[in-house]
Amino acid sequence: MKRWLLHVLFWVAYTLQDALMEYTWSAALMAGVPDGRRFIIALHAATAATMPKLIITYFVLYAAVPQVLKEKRNLAWVTLQVIAVMAVSLVLYRVTFVYYINQVVYDGIGKPGALFSLPRLLLGIIDIGFVCATAVAFKLLRMQLSARVREKDLVKEKLETELKFLRNQTNPHFLFNTLNNIYALTRKKSDQAPEIVMKLSKLLRFMLYESGKGMITMAEEIRMINDYLDLERIRYNNRLNVTFTQDIDQEQHPVAPLLLMPFVENAFKHGVSETRFDSYVHMDLRLQKGILTFTVENNREHEGNNSQHKIGLGNVRRQLELMYTEHQLLVFSEAAVFKVVLTINLDSHAKI
């Protein structure tokens, strides 16, 4: 809501409340006046009494409070300023009551009292201080709520940036090798070249555009994995054994994009590419009632590149922490076999 409208609503509400109190207090003085007329008179008096309160209220809101919050001035100096402006407002308040409200609005039917008597001054301080304190309290509350919203937005932006950075770190390293293979196929005028170019194009299009979405379907994630596997089979000239079994009860179930690809890519990057004979990658994907279980197993000739595995898995673990509140990632690293088992409750997707 616009600031000026909030101010208008505040003063309208306060003036109506003050008018209602004035209406109640004036009942004895204006016993013969109809209720409707008496309320209009009370509203007139409350409106006139509000004018001096505006001075101290807006001075505190837009001069004193900013100085205190930003620590631009000494607190004692700010206090002296508030006291001085309060004194001016109090004088105007009493003058308004004695010479306008009592004499004009109520036509002199009540006793005006002394202009600066102690009881009247104390009553004026309480009346002015109440509305001023209420306005300041609303302002501080609004500032606090705005600060919380800004803080929440900053945290959200930070987490989104971190997630994008982590996803960008999973760029497919196989692309360069695949391009070289495509180049070799085109030189040989192989019939496979157009198909490979099309699959590579689809994969790139997904990674550049679709992965930026908040969620995709499980069918889209599986399709991307299959395209990736087709490219790897061409790259290694079908010298490896790749299996990908699936048991999915709902292909349209939403899932975070590029969720499974890092595990698949890892199996080829640190397993197949470093294995000379009998290379294999076995994958099993199950999705039942929102619970996803993804197992990837690959062989290797030696237990090397553990640090690279840890860096890659650390990246994936952080992505999972940002995306899902319920997940488990198990890693089994042996001399000749590397295996990961990922279990996720896809319905526990965290809203960043």
Side-chain angles (χ1 to χ4, degrees):
M1 187 179 295
K2 294 183 178 180
R3 182 179 299 179
W4 66 267
L5 185 56
L6 288 174
H7 285 249
V8 170
L9 291 175
F10 172 81
W11 287 110
V12 168
Y14 172 76
T15 303
L16 289 175
Q17 171 264 335
D18 205 20
L20 183 60
M21 295 178 66
E22 190 75 20
Y23 169 80
T24 303
W25 292 337
S26 64
L29 293 175
M30 307 178 70
V33 179
D35 290 344
R37 175 62 180 167
R38 187 155 56 90
F39 182 78
I40 292 175
I41 294 174
L43 182 61
H44 186 178
T47 303
T50 298
M51 298 305 171
K53 302 172 187 177
L54 294 172
I55 300 173
I56 182 63
T57 300
Y58 280 101
F59 176 81
V60 172
L61 288 178
Y62 292 103
V65 171
Q67 291 182 62
V68 172
L69 294 179
K70 296 180 181 179
E71 299 181 353
K72 287 186 174 181
R73 299 288 182 86
N74 183 276
L75 183 59
W77 171 244
V78 176
T79 303
L80 288 175
Q81 291 180 2
V82 173
I83 292 174
V85 177
M86 181 66 174
V88 172
S89 299
L90 186 58
V91 169
L92 292 175
Y93 177 84
R94 289 300 303 146
V95 168
T96 301
F97 256 97
V98 172
Y99 296 106
Y100 184 76
I101 295 177
N102 287 337
Q103 297 299 322
V104 178
V105 178
Y106 286 107
D107 198 21
I109 61 175
K111 295 181 179 180
L115 183 61
F116 297 117
S117 65
L118 183 60
R120 301 286 182 177
L121 289 176
L122 291 177
L123 184 61
I125 292 174
I126 294 173
D127 194 11
I128 296 174
F130 172 76
V131 65
C132 182
T134 303
V136 171
F138 274 117
K139 179 178 178 63
L140 294 178
L141 177 61
R142 187 167 178 266
M143 291 174 62
Q144 186 177 17
L145 292 176
S146 298
R148 287 186 178 180
V149 171
R150 287 195 299 270
E151 182 181 0
K152 184 177 179 180
D153 290 341
L154 287 174
V155 171
K156 179 181 178 181
E157 183 179 351
K158 177 181 178 297
L159 294 177
E160 288 178 345
T161 301
E162 181 182 0
L163 183 56
K164 289 179 181 178
F165 173 74
L166 292 171
R167 285 177 176 174
N168 288 337
Q169 284 188 322
T170 62
N171 286 333
H173 303 283
F174 74 96
L175 284 177
F176 297 105
N177 294 324
T178 304
L179 288 173
N180 288 332
N181 291 334
I182 291 174
Y183 174 72
L185 290 173
T186 54
R187 293 210 39 171
K188 296 178 181 178
K189 297 183 179 180
S190 171
D191 294 337
Q192 291 179 308
E195 181 183 358
I196 296 302
V197 171
M198 182 59 66
K199 288 184 178 294
L200 180 61
S201 174
K202 289 169 57 180
L203 199 57
L204 283 175
R205 186 182 302 110
F206 180 91
M207 292 183 174
L208 288 174
Y209 301 108
E210 300 301 319
S211 64
K213 296 180 179 179
M215 303 291 284
I216 62 173
T217 65
M218 180 56 69
E220 291 176 302
E221 183 81 2
I222 293 174
R223 186 162 56 249
M224 185 186 67
I225 293 175
N226 283 325
D227 288 340
Y228 178 94
L229 295 178
D230 288 342
L231 289 174
E232 290 290 9
R233 290 187 181 98
I234 296 298
R235 173 185 173 187
Y236 290 101
N237 296 317
N238 293 312
R239 68 173 178 82
L240 70 158
N241 179 18
V242 178
T243 60
F244 183 22
T245 58
Q246 304 161 37
D247 184 9
I248 310 296
D249 65 351
Q250 187 179 357
E251 291 188 345
Q252 299 304 310
H253 199 292
V255 62
L258 295 177
L259 179 66
L260 307 179
M261 179 56 72
F263 300 100
V264 182
E265 185 181 353
N266 220 38
F268 285 91
K269 180 181 177 182
H270 300 299
V272 175
S273 64
E274 299 173 0
T275 306
R276 291 170 296 175
F277 307 104
D278 299 325
S279 301
Y280 73 83
V281 176
H282 297 325
M283 298 181 297
D284 181 70
L285 176 62
R286 299 179 184 275
L287 176 59
Q288 300 294 326
K289 298 181 180 179
I291 304 299
L292 179 145
T293 304
F294 186 51
T295 304
V296 181
E297 179 182 329
N298 62 272
N299 64 327
R300 56 185 180 179
E301 292 187 356
H302 55 84
E303 195 172 357
N305 295 323
N306 281 336
S307 61
Q308 295 182 24
H309 274 300
K310 290 178 180 179
I311 293 173
L313 290 176
N315 182 317
V316 173
R317 288 184 192 277
R318 181 54 181 161
Q319 290 188 59
L320 290 171
E321 290 174 1
L322 293 174
M323 292 185 293
Y324 293 97
T325 57
E326 299 178 20
H327 66 273
Q328 182 183 52
L329 178 59
L330 301 178
V331 178
F332 305 92
S333 180
E334 300 177 1
V337 178
F338 188 82
K339 180 180 179 180
V340 294
V341 179
L342 172 65
T343 304
I344 304 175
N345 180 0
L346 294 182
D347 295 327
S348 69
H349 185 265
K351 295 182 179 180
I352 298 177

